[in-house]
Amino acid sequence: MNDNINEHSQIEAQAAIARLERFSKLTDSSIGIPFTKFNIGLEAVIGLIPVIGDAAGLILSSYVLIEAQRLGVTKRIKTKMIINMLIDFVGGLVPFFGDIFDAFFKANTRNTQLLKKHLNKQLSE
C-alpha cells in the first residue's frame, strides 16, 4: 500500500511540474522579441504598469509557491522561492531598468526549476 501512495505522489508531483512549466513559460518567456532569440513573458508586459503591474506579477508568482506548499517542500526551498519573488518585485519597481531586469530575472522559471530539482532529488532517494 505504501508503494501505491508513493506512486500517487510521483504522479501528482509530475503533473504539478508540468503545470508550473507551462505557467512559467507563459509568465516568463511566451513572447518572442522580433529579430532576437530573446523571449519575455506576460509578467514583464504587466510590469510595465508602474507599481500595480509589479504587484500583479508578485501575486502571479505566488502560484508556484502555493504549489510548492501543497507538495510539502521544505521551508528552505520555500524561502529561496520567496527571495526570488521579492528580488523580482523590488527589481521591477525601479523605473525603466526594473522593466529590463524583470524581463531577464524570470522568477517563476527559477522557482519552478528549484521545485523540480527538489522533487527529483526526493523521488530518487
Side-chain angles (χ1 to χ4, degrees):
M1 183 169 175
N2 196 13
D3 287 337
N4 246 352
I5 293 170
N6 192 24
E7 185 177 324
H8 177 72
S9 296
Q10 287 180 356
I11 292 168
E12 184 179 341
Q14 289 169 349
I17 291 298
R19 280 191 309 272
L20 291 173
E21 286 177 336
R22 287 190 304 274
F23 173 78
S24 294
K25 182 169 176 56
L26 178 69
T27 58
D28 290 343
S29 60
S30 60
I31 304 165
I33 304 296
F35 311 110
T36 72
K37 292 182 180 182
F38 190 73
N39 295 325
I40 62 170
L42 291 179
E43 191 172 321
V45 174
I46 293 168
L48 292 172
I49 303 167
V51 184
I52 296 169
D54 297 307
L58 185 62
I59 292 166
L60 283 172
S61 293
S62 67
Y63 172 61
V64 182
L65 184 64
I66 290 167
E67 283 285 349
Q69 174 69 30
R70 194 178 63 75
L71 292 168
V73 301
T74 64
K75 186 177 179 180
R76 182 172 176 258
I77 298 297
K78 289 185 284 190
T79 300
K80 286 182 177 184
M81 290 179 167
I82 291 168
I83 289 169
N84 283 337
M85 291 166 60
L86 291 175
I87 289 169
D88 189 47
F89 175 70
V90 172
L93 291 175
V94 179
F96 181 70
F97 293 108
D99 298 321
I100 294 169
F101 174 79
D102 204 26
F104 280 93
F105 190 71
K106 302 182 186 303
N108 295 326
T109 299
R110 288 173 186 261
N111 286 344
T112 297
Q113 291 305 313
L114 258 175
L115 180 59
K116 186 176 181 178
K117 183 179 174 184
H118 174 76
L119 291 174
N120 285 339
K121 185 178 174 184
Q122 271 191 329
L123 294 174
S124 67
E125 290 177 352

